Amino acid sequence: MRVLHVNDVARIGSALVAEAARQGLSWSLYDTARVDPSWSPRTRALRRALRGAAWEAGLLQRALATDLLSVHGATVTAHTRWLRRPYTLHLHGTDIRTRRYEERYTSLVTDAVRGALDVYYTTPDLAEHVLDLRDDATLQPVIVDVREVPEAVPGRPAPPRILFPSRWDPAKGGENQLELLRALRGRLGDDVVLEGIDWGAHAHLAAREHGVRLLPRMSHEAYATWLASGTLAVGQLTGTMGVSELEAVATGVPLVMPLNRHWYDGAHDTTADVPVLGGPADPADLVETALQGVVDGLDGHVPVGARAWVQHHHSPERAVVRLVERYNALT
């Protein structure tokens, strides 16, 4: 089957297509067009329209040569539905967790989910937002290619460096992130270095009020190298793991990740025996659980077999096999 993946959310589309090529499959990727921030405000609207028209022409050319569209992101269907081509839909987070309930997008997201031949969601917390629309939707987990993530260098930095890989944002735990920073400073004082990315609505609060050293956004290669350089990392305080958390696990640096016990209950193989410090926990205890996980990590606790676990459950190879099974069922 010739499959065209549309949109490259979190580099998942490109990872799937690269692995499909290694397996001899006819899959391709067409990323969405984006506005260039350097465009002049006077010409931005016109240039955006011209780029959009060129993108749609490219989409049509590619779609005519494929059997199936595999669309990443429910809102992207606003730009693909005019083709009237059969499609599957990958839901990655905000598109179903947030956009579905915003008046501007509700109809678009609902129609996208119901009109797809098959629907996949990437993290277990999304089930409650999609299964009432499609009870046949399945978990197709986040993809991390461990070949793109370096292993941590042996030895512990002095002073200890605690890394925060996710953006400082309500979608990543917002107030819980700031509460944890207060608790860490109260417990550890200035004996540790806290580092994060200058990204998200609360980044300036993390730096100004809690002394987090913010690094500029960087290439994926540089980001992965940074992840592997810390004493330990602290995942988002939403109770669920995303790409950043899984990449941190893959480095072998201990990841503190309080997991919502209602989502990581072993119902799927990817949610059993997760090699992290601090989980599972009840939603009301995420901050306290994370604090204890940090203390344990600084005391030398290290989860066993973390990189191998990511490879087994979240590799591109495993993801392509799962999708081929679903695609074959459609035919």
Side-chain angles (χ1 to χ4, degrees):
M1 183 184 292
R2 297 167 300 174
V3 180
L4 175 63
H5 289 262
V6 182
N7 197 14
D8 196 17
V9 179
R11 304 170 69 249
I12 288 175
S14 53
L16 287 171
V17 168
E19 178 56 34
R22 285 190 283 266
Q23 297 186 24
L25 300 171
S26 298
W27 294 10
S28 57
L29 173 68
Y30 190 47
D31 202 2
T32 51
R34 292 174 172 82
V35 173
D36 189 330
S38 67
W39 287 348
S40 166
R42 292 181 298 173
T43 61
R44 183 173 295 142
L46 175 60
R47 297 181 71 171
R48 181 174 182 175
L50 291 173
R51 175 170 287 189
W55 184 87
E56 289 198 352
L59 174 64
L60 175 61
Q61 180 183 17
R62 290 165 173 79
L64 291 174
T66 59
D67 303 305
L68 179 70
L69 299 182
S70 196
V71 180
H72 293 258
T75 57
V76 176
T77 59
H79 309 290
T80 62
R81 59 187 176 185
W82 61 274
L83 292 168
R84 300 188 181 279
R85 300 283 288 177
Y87 69 94
T88 60
L89 180 63
H90 297 254
L91 300 169
H92 290 273
T94 301
D95 54 344
I96 189 69
R97 185 194 301 113
T98 303
R99 296 287 181 258
R100 177 187 171 183
Y101 306 106
E102 296 176 357
E103 184 177 357
R104 176 184 174 186
Y105 295 103
T106 297
S107 295
L108 173 62
V109 173
T110 300
D111 291 346
V113 172
R114 288 178 172 161
L117 292 179
D118 209 9
V119 178
Y120 321 117
Y121 55 95
T122 55
T123 53
D125 60 302
L126 300 180
E128 64 186 272
H129 302 288
V130 64
L131 292 181
D132 64 319
L133 298 177
R134 287 291 295 263
D135 60 6
D136 62 340
T138 58
L139 178 67
Q140 297 289 337
V142 169
I143 297 171
V144 169
D145 190 339
V146 299
R147 291 168 294 196
E148 297 181 353
V149 181
E151 294 188 69
V153 178
R156 297 169 64 84
R161 290 172 51 244
I162 301 175
L163 310 185
F164 293 81
S166 293
R167 69 181 185 269
W168 306 96
D169 198 81
K172 299 297 184 179
E175 292 301 324
N176 281 343
Q177 290 175 321
L178 298 177
E179 184 180 344
L180 176 60
L181 291 176
R182 284 191 290 271
L184 286 173
R185 284 305 186 198
R187 181 77 173 263
L188 304 173
D190 295 325
D191 294 335
V192 296
V193 175
L194 307 180
E195 287 187 358
I197 305 299
D198 190 1
W199 186 25
H202 292 163
H204 66 290
L205 293 176
R208 187 181 68 214
E209 298 183 5
H210 306 290
V212 177
R213 179 189 298 166
L214 295 180
L215 305 178
R217 294 177 65 176
M218 59 194 80
S219 68
H220 180 262
E221 182 180 1
Y223 176 77
T225 300
W226 173 70
L227 284 179
S229 71
T231 306
L232 56 87
V234 179
Q236 60 180 299
L237 293 181
T238 61
T240 188
M241 300 179 75
V243 172
S244 297
E245 286 75 26
L246 289 167
E247 288 183 332
V249 171
T251 67
V253 168
L255 175 71
V256 176
M257 184 69 232
L259 300 168
N260 186 319
R261 65 172 69 250
H262 304 300
W263 298 330
Y264 290 82
D265 57 1
H268 303 279
D269 63 345
T270 57
T271 64
D273 301 321
V274 186
V276 297
L277 301 174
D282 290 322
D285 298 329
L286 295 181
V287 173
E288 182 179 342
T289 303
L291 178 60
Q292 185 58 51
V294 169
V295 172
D296 291 342
L298 293 177
D299 284 343
H301 294 249
V302 179
V304 177
R307 190 176 180 90
W309 183 89
V310 174
Q311 170 64 21
H312 178 72
H313 293 290
H314 294 273
S315 67
E317 296 92 332
R318 189 75 179 270
V320 169
V321 168
R322 288 189 182 103
L323 284 176
V324 167
E325 291 176 353
R326 300 295 297 188
Y327 293 162
N328 288 341
L330 296 178
T331 61

